[in-house]
Amino acid sequence: VPGVTSSIAAPALAGIPVTHRGVASSLTIVTGHEEPGKEAPLDWKAMAGLGGTLVVLMGVSRLKQNAAALIAAGKPADTPAAMVEKGGWKDQRMISATLGSIAEKAKASKIESPAILVVGEVVRLAEKLGKKRIAILRPAHQQKESAALAEEYGFSPIAAPAIALAEKPLPEDLMKRISSVECVAFTSANGVNIALKIPGISSALAGKMIVAIGPRTRQALVERGLEAEVPEEYSSSGLERMLRGKCQSILFLRSAQGSRYLSQGLKEAGLFVDDIPLYDTVPSGDPRLDELIMMIRSVDIFAFTSSSTARYLVERAQALDRKEELFEALAAGTVAAIGLPTSQELDRLGIRVDVMPEKFTFEAMLALLKRWVER
């Protein structure tokens, strides 16, 4: 905004008010990189004793020296400090530490100019007032709803579709295979949306026990006039317990890339299991994913909703020669995964998983993430 100095605007955008009742009532702004040979250098001793908030502009190259000078002048080394990089840009990011450790953390985080240093108790308020940036990697058609949910839970969403859906040719004997089983299972709302477009399928499903893996899948079925049962536990054993005494044969309608751990477990339990993939998940080719990768260090949380979102994010980062930066950001941020197959794929890729909700829904993930960041 014209007329608003970066010394106030950049911290505010990171959730740091430079003054706050009961915390800081004054603000001091100085440059961190003076002209060589200047006769009257900065009086760090005076600034160390002022109290309130200190903002140091252009302070990246001399961050270590400036922090050391403040500490030597009497500023406690455990004073909260933060670096705000590229304030107001799409790839803005903020790191926080103490005055004694901020230089080391900035180096490890590869903070670059333009960035400002904020020193004072107001830095602690960023945890309450700042919004964590969450990368949403779901297909484009799910982004609007997902972003709205993320905002409801207090996050700042970044839309970056990593995958798209490509419908597969249907087998000629589809209706025959549906008629030959007692139960039909849908593993995702995407599968429901694709299946219910098939002419005659509603009639073919009449009289069948319908299973939905997850409440969102069930909701998609209910919206189309079909009742479905949802297992209490999203596992092969949980599904087998629900089906016990009700049916001995089941057909899964799902993604071609979907995990087969449910169907394999049911086969081992003695059920007849059929499987028809309705769609492939393919790389999205969405430019928003490339934008995310180029600003990857500004992301706080990565929300992986399927194994393919993880796989294609890594593949695209590698294609853009940004795989190292991606893995650094993943290590520094919070990684959330929906479902065991997604968690296993992340583990295979060498990515640590921090959060995995018991319920396989995006909202359950957000609720758990909210508790995680507030802990």
Side-chain angles (χ1 to χ4, degrees):
V1 178
V4 179
T5 172
S6 63
S7 55
I8 296 174
L13 288 168
I16 304 173
V18 290
T19 61
H20 195 276
R21 179 178 294 179
V23 180
S25 56
S26 64
L27 168 66
T28 304
I29 304 170
V30 299
T31 179
H33 190 79
E34 292 190 284
E35 185 178 346
K38 185 178 178 182
E39 293 184 5
L42 287 171
D43 188 344
W44 293 108
K45 186 173 183 179
M47 284 182 283
L50 281 174
T53 303
L54 173 64
V55 171
V56 182
L57 303 174
M58 298 184 295
V60 175
S61 63
R62 291 188 55 80
L63 176 59
K64 184 176 181 179
Q65 296 92 321
N66 292 343
L70 277 169
I71 293 170
K75 198 75 171 175
D78 61 356
T79 303
M83 290 292 290
V84 182
E85 179 189 70
K86 296 184 178 179
W89 297 18
K90 285 196 300 183
D91 51 348
Q92 170 186 311
R93 61 176 174 148
M94 187 268 288
I95 62 164
S96 60
T98 63
L99 185 59
S101 62
I102 190 67
E104 182 180 349
K105 187 167 183 179
K107 182 179 180 181
S109 302
K110 298 183 179 179
I111 293 291
E112 300 175 349
S113 295
I116 66 172
L117 169 66
V118 184
V119 180
E121 291 298 322
V122 290
V123 170
R124 299 187 194 276
L125 297 174
E127 296 181 2
K128 296 180 179 179
L129 303 178
K131 289 187 176 182
K132 298 291 185 182
R133 307 186 80 188
I134 181 170
I136 301 175
L137 303 164
R138 310 180 89 180
H141 70 276
Q142 294 178 314
Q143 286 290 335
K144 184 176 180 180
E145 178 185 1
S146 300
L149 267 176
E151 288 175 346
E152 285 182 21
Y153 278 87
F155 298 108
S156 177
I158 305 171
I163 60 173
L165 308 184
E167 295 184 25
K168 293 180 68 66
L170 297 171
E172 293 182 1
D173 61 348
L174 171 65
M175 296 303 176
K176 181 180 179 181
R177 289 163 72 176
I178 292 175
S179 66
S180 68
V181 296
E182 299 170 277
C183 177
V184 177
F186 293 88
T187 60
S188 70
N190 290 324
V192 173
N193 295 335
I194 292 171
L196 270 292
K197 293 190 300 183
I198 301 170
I201 195 167
S202 294
S203 299
L205 292 173
K208 304 290 182 185
M209 178 181 178
I210 300 177
V211 173
I213 305 302
R216 184 67 186 88
T217 308
R218 180 182 181 277
Q219 181 183 341
L221 286 161
V222 170
E223 288 172 355
R224 289 158 179 78
L226 295 171
E227 285 298 327
E229 296 190 37
V230 181
E232 292 183 6
E233 181 185 331
Y234 302 154
S235 65
S236 56
S237 59
L239 186 53
E240 192 273 331
R241 283 195 299 272
M242 189 187 80
L243 297 177
R244 193 176 298 158
K246 297 180 180 179
C247 78
Q248 287 296 311
S249 56
I250 185 170
L251 168 65
F252 283 90
L253 298 176
R254 58 169 186 80
S255 159
Q257 283 74 30
S259 170
R260 290 174 172 78
Y261 81 99
L262 285 176
S263 55
Q264 185 60 38
L266 293 178
K267 286 179 182 178
E268 293 172 0
L271 276 73
F272 170 80
V273 179
D274 196 1
D275 208 312
I276 297 178
L278 296 177
Y279 62 96
D280 281 311
T281 53
V282 298
S284 67
D286 196 304
R288 289 175 291 179
L289 183 64
D290 290 0
E291 291 176 7
L292 173 79
I293 291 169
M294 299 312 293
M295 55 178 268
I296 202 69
R297 289 182 181 141
S298 68
V299 180
D300 300 303
I301 301 168
F302 297 83
F304 294 100
T305 54
S306 66
S307 56
S308 53
T309 58
R311 186 165 57 254
Y312 293 141
L313 173 63
V314 172
E315 288 181 4
R316 188 57 187 159
Q318 188 165 12
L320 295 173
D321 197 25
R322 299 277 291 180
K323 184 177 178 180
E324 182 179 348
E325 288 83 353
L326 170 63
F327 274 75
E328 288 174 354
L330 288 163
T334 298
V335 176
I338 291 181
L340 183 61
T342 307
S343 178
Q344 289 173 335
E345 178 66 9
L346 287 163
D347 183 65
R348 185 189 71 80
L349 292 166
I351 300 168
R352 176 203 73 249
V353 175
D354 301 300
V355 170
M356 187 171 73
E358 291 184 7
K359 288 189 175 181
F360 295 178
T361 68
F362 189 67
E363 185 167 7
M365 173 191 278
L366 292 172
L368 187 55
L369 279 168
K370 184 175 175 64
R371 294 196 296 273
W372 173 270
V373 300
E374 291 177 348
R375 72 193 192 286

